[in-house]
Amino acid sequence: MHAPRRRGDYAPVVVITQQAKIIDGKALAQAVKADVKRRAAALRDAGRPPRLDALLVGGDSGAVLYARNQARTCRELNIDHELHRLPAAASFQDIAGRVLLLNEDANVQAIMIHLPLPDAVDTEKIQSLIAVEKDVEGVNPANIGNIVYGRRSLVPCTALAVMQAIESTGIELPGALCVCVGASNIVGKPVVVLLMSVDATVVSTNIHTTAIEALTSQADVLVSAAGVPGLVQKHWVKPGAVVIDVGIRRVQDAGGKMITTGDVAFDEVAAVAGHITPVPGGIGPMTVSMLMRNVVDAAEHARA
Ligand code: NAD
């Protein structure tokens, strides 16, 4: 007969819930903002105050809120902000005409266009009219072309944020296998091009990719920008990998409360990854600071 078990006879149960280091997007964004503020003050002292000119067509509530927050961030960082508003009925010619005027204005160094534009207007055509050296969102296709050719370029802000998050981990990118889930023009493709430009080995995947986990589970760096909550699960991730979650979706939690979530099933993936970005508090805040960095970059390179 076995002697009854007493307290202390059992091995302690260790529940590993998280081993990954959290990449703190808010702290990284603050560091970028501090640098931007210093550079903006230097430009101002030199009589060349940096300025962001934003174009807002119509009154989409999300765009209006974004424009308001952007103006506040600019004030905080010593950057002037001009909001140009056009009515919702503005035509392609009205909008294009305004962009061309801003391109020609020597006082304008940085231009961005709030989306959405009216349905009848070809957004990509408008974006491709923005002068390359003033295109602080990197939406003119020429700016992506410049990265491919290794020339100085204004790069889409979210892709810049992804690169900064990856580099903050100290990983050696030449020789690293990086897999990007999602291949949109504004996130996935620029991320792939930037990773290629630093000699990483890069795989681009999309909704048609078969057996995607077989690819992602080999990745030293896994970037997800699909917009599908919970897509990236534990078995998609190589132990110790850097996992960057670009996805942002509003969903209901189990209690019916609306929450913001990313593409990565955070708790289970954090148990195997080496580094991981949270949502919220990861790539989102870093993207805003990268736009401001592009504004001072453009202002520094503008002809005095
Ligand atoms: P998109 O819809 O334009 O593109 C999504 C891409 O993901 C496509 O290439 C599609 O093929 C791929 N995809 C979709 N489902 C997939 C699946 N099941 N498996 C593999 N690939 C899949 O989206 P987007 O504009 O690139 O945005 C993606 C996400 O990133 C969204 O959640 C968006 O809100 C977020 N986002 C965040 C920021 C930020 O600053 N953090 C900026 C832009 C976009």
Side-chain angles (χ1 to χ4, degrees):
M1 222 170 97
H2 296 292
R5 286 194 167 182
R6 290 164 305 169
R7 238 179 107 103
D9 284 351
Y10 297 95
V13 176
V14 180
V15 181
I16 301 173
T17 50
Q18 180 195 307
Q19 70 149 48
K21 290 197 176 117
I22 306 292
I23 300 171
D24 183 346
K26 283 190 194 157
L28 289 170
Q30 277 311 325
V32 172
K33 281 186 181 173
D35 181 55
V36 167
K37 194 170 180 176
R38 185 187 54 72
R39 289 163 64 191
L43 282 163
R44 199 169 284 282
D45 288 348
R48 298 162 55 201
R51 175 172 133 187
L52 171 61
D53 284 65
L55 187 57
L56 175 62
V57 183
D60 176 80
S61 59
V64 169
L65 180 66
Y66 181 41
R68 202 178 299 145
N69 288 340
Q70 188 176 76
R72 199 182 50 226
T73 308
C74 284
R75 263 198 307 279
E76 195 190 306
L77 301 183
N78 268 325
I79 294 170
D80 293 339
H81 184 266
E82 292 280 332
L83 183 63
H84 305 264
R85 293 197 70 162
L86 290 175
S91 66
F92 179 87
Q93 281 75 15
D94 297 332
I95 302 168
R98 186 60 73 98
V99 172
L100 295 178
L101 279 177
L102 292 172
N103 283 349
E104 280 160 24
D105 186 339
N107 294 315
V108 174
Q109 309 134 339
I111 302 170
M112 65 84 56
I113 300 176
H114 288 285
L115 298 182
L117 291 180
D119 288 345
V121 173
D122 183 336
T123 298
E124 283 183 18
K125 239 183 188 168
I126 293 286
Q127 290 173 327
S128 67
L129 293 175
I130 303 173
V132 173
E133 69 282 6
K134 301 185 181 188
D135 170 31
V136 284
E137 288 192 307
V139 289
N140 183 327
N143 270 319
I144 272 289
N146 282 335
I147 312 172
V148 172
Y149 286 97
R151 298 185 195 129
R152 197 193 86 78
S153 174
L154 287 164
V155 177
C157 313
T158 306
L160 276 179
V162 168
M163 290 303 287
Q164 194 204 12
I166 296 171
E167 282 162 1
S168 78
T169 68
I171 189 171
E172 275 288 306
L173 285 170
L177 176 63
C178 304
V179 176
C180 189
V181 179
S184 69
N185 288 344
I186 196 64
V187 189
K189 286 181 197 164
V191 165
V192 164
V193 174
L194 286 179
L195 285 166
M196 284 169 64
S197 75
V198 292
D199 292 336
T201 302
V202 193
V203 176
S204 171
T205 69
N206 59 58
I207 198 163
H208 305 291
T209 306
T210 51
I212 197 165
E213 315 88 284
L215 297 168
T216 60
S217 59
Q218 296 179 55
D220 303 302
V221 177
L222 170 52
V223 178
S224 189
V228 182
L231 179 69
V232 177
Q233 298 160 45
K234 190 175 167 174
H235 66 285
W236 285 43
V237 178
K238 176 175 162 177
V242 173
V243 178
I244 307 293
D245 192 352
V246 184
I248 303 179
R249 280 281 180 267
R250 296 284 292 162
V251 295
Q252 273 192 346
D253 70 6
K257 205 174 106 199
M258 291 307 286
I259 56 161
T260 301
T261 188
D263 288 353
V264 176
F266 184 87
D267 291 342
E268 62 176 72
V269 171
V272 290
H275 292 83
I276 189 167
T277 56
V279 178
I283 296 300
M286 293 171 68
T287 297
V288 176
S289 67
M290 285 302 173
L291 175 65
M292 297 298 145
R293 197 177 86 176
N294 276 352
V295 173
V296 285
D297 275 353
E300 285 172 353
H301 283 86
R303 258 174 261 138

